[in-house]
């Protein structure tokens, strides 16, 4: 999924993005409060200065 699509879906109220392939995504400075990114592929993703309060990032 491209970062623009993720942000658009987040802005529409979706919060569950678990298991997605977000490798290499550039989400610098994004505001993603309460998003679920558990089991997502975050390899090489840029989350610098992103606001991730209450974000789920666990990988069981």
């Amino acid at each position: 999924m491209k970062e623009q699509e993720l942000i658009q879906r987040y802005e529409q109220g979706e919060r569950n993005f678990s298991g997605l392939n977000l490798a290499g995504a550039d989400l610098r400075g994004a505001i993603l409060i309460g998003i679920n990114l558990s089991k997502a592929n975050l390899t090489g993703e840029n989350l610098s200065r992103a606001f991730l309060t209450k974000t789920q990032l666990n990988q069981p």
Side-chain angles (χ1 to χ4, degrees):
M1 172 182 294
K2 299 287 186 187
E3 49 272 335
Q4 291 299 335
E5 181 183 352
L6 182 140
I7 291 170
Q8 182 180 35
R9 287 170 55 182
Y10 177 87
E11 288 173 349
Q12 293 172 350
E14 189 171 344
R15 296 296 182 265
N16 187 3
F17 295 94
S18 64
L20 289 181
N21 181 9
L22 298 169
D26 184 1
L27 293 170
R28 286 179 286 180
I31 298 171
L32 302 171
I33 299 167
I35 193 169
N36 179 0
L37 295 173
S38 61
K39 298 183 184 179
N41 181 359
L42 304 175
T43 306
E45 183 171 349
N46 187 347
L47 290 168
S48 61
R49 298 182 188 230
F51 194 70
L52 302 171
T53 301
K54 297 185 180 181
T55 296
Q56 295 176 24
L57 296 170
N58 45 334
Q59 291 252 180

